[in-house]
Amino acid sequence: MSKIKAMTGNQSASIGACLSRPDVIAAYPITPQSSVVEGLAAMIADGKSDAQMVQVESEHSAMSVVQGSAMAGGRVFTATSAQGLALMYEPYFRMSTLRLPMVMAIATREMTSPETVWSGQQDAMSVRDSGWIQVFVENNQEILDMIIQGYKISEDKDVLIPMNVCYDGFYLSHLTERVEIPSQEQVDEFLPRYKCEHVAYDPQNPMAVDPLTPGEILINYRENHLQSMQKVKDIIEKVDKEFKEKFGRSYGGLIDTYRCEDAEIVVVTIGANVGTARVAVDLAREKGKKVGLIKVRFMRPFPNEKIAEVLSNKKGYAVIDRSVSFGWNSGVLYQEVKAAVSDLNQNLCSISAIGGLGGLDISLNHVMSVIDVLDKAIKEEKQGQLQTMWLK
Amino acid sequence: MNYIDKLKFSKDLVTPGMSACQGCGGELCLRRVLQIAGENSVIAIPPGCMAGAGVVGWNFDNGLKVPVHIPLLDNTASFLSGVSQMYQRKGREDVNIIAFAGDGATADCGFQSLTGAAERGEHMLYICYDNEGYMNTGFQRSSTTTKGSKTSTTPVGIVLKGKSQSKKYMPLIMAMHNIEYMATLSPSNMKDFVEKIEKGLEASKRGFAYLHIFSPCPTGWGYPPNLGIEVARKAVKSNFFPLIEFENGKLKINVENKNPIGVGEFLKLSNKFKHLRDEDIAFIQEEVNSRMELIKKLAL
Amino acid sequence: MIELRFHGRGGQGVVKAAQIIVSSVIDTGKYAQFIPFFGVERKGSPVFGFLRIDDKDIRIKTQVYTPKVLVVFDDTLLSMEKTFKGLQEDGVVIINTKKSIKELELPKNAKEVYLVDATGIAIENIKRNIPNTTMLGAFANACKDFINWDILKQNIETKFGEANVKSAKVAYEKVQKYNLD
Amino acid sequence: MRKFVTPVGNEGMYILDTASWRIVKPVMNKEKCVECGICLTYCPVNSIEFKSDKYIINYDFCKGCGICSNECPKTAIDMIEEGDER
């Protein structure tokens, strides 16, 4: 039977990982992820998990160790944040392009410089083109659930792509709230043990893994990887349904929508801010504004069709980002959403709002102010991109 | 069975035609390592001469008869840590887990993952074939390049004459990790070489084993290919590259040179040292002497 | 929904105390959340955190700007501008202090004030200068409407042991309530 | 082309005709040879083989480096110009 417990996001991540029965865990502590490593170490020390834990000397080695274990046929887990992810980049890219399935938790954090240890999504957003699946979650329950689902998605034979479960540093990693923990038996039924078949680093089946590969062959791998990434979209929906049947919770697949049916304008956001935006939408509705909300769950694969479908009959949208896209005067998610709706040819009124950097709060008032600005612009029949809002 | 018989009757697990240079020390060492290790092995060969020479395969062809992976230049030891952990979990500790990495992948950017894996006592045999530089890409300096050596990044110019810094001495650094086994090997002393690979493989089942091979490079160093073994022999006889081993917390000198030859005898064989003046050679001799003295004290 | 803010110093166990409140609320089938605000995580440095309690799922994931309740672990923090910022007009303030109500010179929005010498009680009962579990006793008395004292005591006992429960009980009894104009 | 999800190769070996690199070739003088096997231990390409109780030179992949000739304690291996006889 499942049980209910008050837990931090990091505890939720380590319990989710533990329930997925990884063979090997390698991780290195970094704020705000450290208590994930500590939690896993404690569970192994107490015999609650039989995973092999490798206490590596850096994130670069953490990702390298799990690559080795995955190639030798294991299910693996690691977690990191910001600079750790940056240090990991070399084997990180390799993990996905070797098509080795795994789940890595990212407690998202602002990138240095300036020196900072606090929240922001710049780390995970900056590596969105590294060939990983990336899900961003709204609360601690979703962290745990998506780690378990993550293995199911990632290990699907039509997928074989590793997955990041990204959750806001501090605002979720250190937030304590109610989480329902499924029983090991339930998880075992949902997620059977992993069997690696496509690469073997095994004397019983000698092969060269990753020989020097010329471009005319390499391009096929990339094409294949991109096609698989598109297939992931269906697998995510499928796994979400299976998960609901087993555990009673559904997250709606690639995106979730809130009060969008009759909405004129839509707030689009990602991560922990979604919860705040839900409250803001309710408040704005009380004030007579026809607002809806799109929760973008997956950055990769990006749910462009779903977003375009929701926005196709709207007047405008506002995207609230916790990261910036250098070179575009906007947030990262804004760019992606804008690209997604470009085929609609509707010149929707849109606004990019950036906040929550370096640990800053995106308050209810911030979200309300974004809604107000967009609502006013719509009433004035403005079109196209409005000036970027900085939520300070 | 003596070492010659062992080599006579063992299977060559490397492709018969691989594109290492004529007289390549690395090729010789790789073949010997795998002859001794046998087919129940997995090997990781990071970017470097051996990887570049085709043993990691090209297109879909395999250059080795055992599973091989070309890890990143800087993660060989951590990658194999993961492999090793998984093999332990599967109860297959009989499989030899071997790294065959150059000095760049070992002593430079690969050092962090190496020291981490050694400190954790990961079960593997890590072999460094030290040819004193990045030979695969045209002989750039590495931290194991000998002082004064000419390389493509430490040229002999009007102001600067070769590498200004001394060689990083990896064997003692690795021994001080208090690992299961550490030894230095030279292809010139093949009996010692074979025995140490065997010992290293055996130790790798219990913990971390590190072998440092002196691997002469005719192309980069500038000596005729037929002199490879002679160069290696003179490195040993001059105490430039002492043959030592470390096990059970004790250091041992395997080949004692009662009357060592001058280091100049070794240096003069290679073009990369041709420009050295007498005082430069004297400096290197002094370094060699003091290193040998230290080793002798540690080996008491 | 009730919003609370906690003020303390590194080493006083503010986060652990707040997490026990969350656990206790959740154990009764209700909802609660706590977000600590981290500056530098050092012993002695000011720390604060945000707690919410509700009958239904708490979606908002932000800091608390207009708390109904302030829990202050150290009276030296009272002079900090941030401490009383945003406190609701009918705010409740629980303070760990040896001082009298007059000596404290509290601002006007502090209407309902609870004073307790949690540090003294803690030293006497648990022999350590960590007032967090003791403050929970004062908190339970002040906030009877939304905390179940029995469950809270149980959770203190599981997490920290009997001496801490005793300390909390003493605080529950000894805490002094003042209604200010 | 076989379809691989990830770059792997397990179909045969990559073999290079390294014999064509040779400009001088080792020739064993059977009269001088004492069958000590030193040449076999030092050959970097394993072109010295022990077959039917004898050491022979396999020219299929010998790169002609000359180490065997240099190391033979009995100078039983001569390096001669690569000629038409190959």
Side-chain angles (χ1 to χ4, degrees), chain D:
Chain D
M1 187 190 112
R2 252 184 77 172
K3 269 207 165 178
F4 292 104
V5 174
T6 196
V8 292
N10 57 1
E11 294 182 338
M13 301 276 283
Y14 173 64
I15 296 171
L16 205 67
D17 177 20
T18 50
S20 66
W21 296 12
R22 220 163 46 223
I23 44 172
V24 284
K25 67 186 270 188
V27 177
M28 207 179 269
N29 184 336
K30 289 287 163 193
E31 283 169 18
K32 283 187 180 176
C33 175
V34 294
E35 308 279 337
C36 69
I38 295 290
C39 55
L40 177 139
T41 70
Y42 287 135
C43 175
V45 295
N46 278 352
S47 281
I48 314 262
E49 292 171 359
F50 187 73
K51 275 198 175 148
S52 320
D53 283 346
K54 287 221 168 332
Y55 292 92
I56 58 147
I57 298 171
N58 179 339
Y59 294 106
D60 292 352
F61 296 99
C62 168
K63 295 173 185 168
C65 70
I67 284 180
C68 55
S69 169
N70 204 59
E71 294 303 320
C72 177
K74 300 292 172 188
T75 60
I77 301 173
D78 297 318
M79 298 304 290
I80 64 164
E81 296 268 322
E82 190 65 55
D84 297 335
E85 78 274 22
R86 186 172 137 236

Side-chain angles (χ1 to χ4, degrees), chain B residues 193-261:
Chain B
F193 189 102
V194 169
E195 286 167 3
K196 284 173 173 172
I197 292 168
E198 286 174 331
K199 270 184 147 175
L201 285 166
E202 199 225 334
S204 74
K205 303 298 189 309
R206 302 187 304 268
F208 196 87
Y210 177 84
L211 304 181
H212 196 96
I213 302 180
F214 185 76
S215 179
C217 169
T219 312
W221 297 9
Y223 64 81
N226 62 335
L227 293 187
I229 300 299
E230 200 169 321
V231 169
R233 188 177 294 118
K234 286 195 161 141
V236 174
K237 288 199 161 170
S238 64
N239 286 339
F240 177 85
F241 190 82
L243 293 177
I244 58 175
E245 69 183 345
F246 176 88
E247 57 184 333
N248 303 320
K250 288 198 170 60
L251 193 71
K252 189 174 152 194
I253 299 168
N254 303 106
V255 176
E256 295 263 14
N257 291 315
K258 292 234 166 62
N259 298 302
I261 59 170

Side-chain angles (χ1 to χ4, degrees), chain A residues 56-305:
Chain A
V56 284
E57 82 297 333
S58 72
E59 288 86 355
H60 192 281
S61 282
M63 186 50 70
S64 302
V65 164
V66 295
Q67 186 210 324
S69 297
M71 265 172 61
R75 178 181 286 161
V76 298
F77 180 79
T78 188
T80 194
S81 295
Q83 307 311 118
L85 180 62
L87 177 57
M88 194 184 267
Y89 185 70
E90 199 187 16
Y92 177 81
F93 198 95
R94 199 162 201 199
M95 194 78 189
S96 64
T97 48
L98 272 174
R99 305 292 296 276
L100 294 167
M102 73 169 287
V103 173
M104 172 164 87
I106 302 180
T108 56
R109 168 181 145 177
E110 189 61 63
M111 291 297 294
T112 299
S113 279
E115 174 63 7
T116 174
V117 296
W118 297 290
S119 197
Q121 294 172 348
Q122 196 69 39
D123 51 0
M125 288 293 181
S126 297
V127 296
R128 65 194 183 280
D129 289 336
S130 305
W132 285 61
I133 302 166
Q134 284 189 322
V135 64
F136 283 71
V137 303
E138 181 182 343
N139 55 41
N140 292 358
Q141 185 70 57
E142 200 179 355
I143 297 174
L144 185 144
D145 291 350
M146 285 319 291
I147 287 175
I148 296 166
Q149 283 192 37
Y151 283 104
K152 188 111 172 169
I153 295 165
S154 175
E155 291 168 3
D156 189 291
K157 289 218 173 357
D158 286 332
V159 177
L160 297 173
I161 297 172
M163 178 151 146
N164 287 145
V165 175
C166 309
Y167 55 94
D168 292 78
F170 295 108
Y171 285 95
L172 288 186
S173 70
H174 287 61
L175 169 127
T176 304
E177 67 177 357
R178 178 191 191 279
V179 176
E180 186 174 337
I181 308 171
S183 72
Q184 186 66 63
E185 294 71 35
Q186 283 176 300
V187 177
D188 287 349
E189 281 169 30
F190 178 78
L191 182 69
R193 289 256 170 180
Y194 167 62
K195 202 163 175 289
C196 168
E197 281 161 4
H198 71 295
V199 283
Y201 197 53
D202 188 337
Q204 287 169 3
N205 184 16
M207 62 172 76
V209 181
D210 218 352
L212 201 54
T213 306
E216 58 264 31
I217 298 172
L218 185 144
I219 194 169
N220 293 325
Y221 289 122
R222 292 290 185 267
E223 186 185 13
N224 186 301
H225 195 149
L226 260 63
Q227 284 167 352
S228 297
M229 196 59 117
Q230 290 309 306
K231 285 187 202 152
V232 176
K233 294 181 173 181
D234 291 337
I235 308 288
I236 287 165
E237 313 266 343
K238 191 183 102 188
V239 171
D240 187 67
K241 284 196 185 77
E242 283 175 35
F243 192 85
K244 181 163 198 269
E245 277 165 30
K246 188 95 213 150
F247 303 97
R249 287 184 294 277
S250 166
Y251 294 96
L254 285 161
I255 62 168
D256 186 20
T257 55
Y258 184 64
R259 304 184 82 164
C260 275
E261 297 76 21
D262 63 336
E264 286 179 350
I265 56 171
V266 172
V267 174
V268 185
T269 193
I270 190 162
N273 188 43
V274 170
T276 310
R278 287 180 198 273
V279 177
V281 165
D282 288 348
L283 275 175
R285 286 267 179 178
E286 281 170 26
K287 291 178 187 167
K289 290 174 185 151
K290 286 193 158 181
V291 194
L293 169 72
I294 296 176
K295 167 188 180 180
V296 176
R297 299 186 66 229
F298 284 82
M299 270 308 281
R300 289 293 179 271
F302 195 74
N304 52 317
E305 298 98 339

Side-chain angles (χ1 to χ4, degrees), chain C residues 37-49:
Chain C
F37 185 87
F38 284 92
V40 279
E41 299 172 57
R42 297 286 181 273
K43 202 170 166 71
S45 67
V47 294
F48 48 106

Side-chain angles (χ1 to χ4, degrees), chain A residues 4-6 8 31 118 138-139 170-172 174-178 258 272 275-276 278-279 282 359 361-364, chain C residues 15 19 22-23 26-27 29-41 57-65:
Chain A
I4 287 164
K5 230 185 130 183
T8 65
T31 302
W118 297 290
E138 181 182 343
N139 55 41
F170 295 108
Y171 285 95
L172 288 186
H174 287 61
L175 169 127
T176 304
E177 67 177 357
R178 178 191 191 279
Y258 184 64
T276 310
R278 287 180 198 273
V279 177
D282 288 348
D361 197 17
I362 301 180
S363 68
L364 195 56
Chain C
V15 173
Q19 284 175 337
V22 174
S23 289
I26 284 169
D27 286 352
K30 291 185 180 177
Y31 293 82
Q33 75 167 203
F34 177 72
I35 311 177
F37 185 87
F38 284 92
V40 279
E41 299 172 57
D57 186 23
I58 300 166
R59 300 171 297 180
I60 192 166
K61 299 280 188 281
T62 69
Q63 300 177 18
V64 166
Y65 295 93

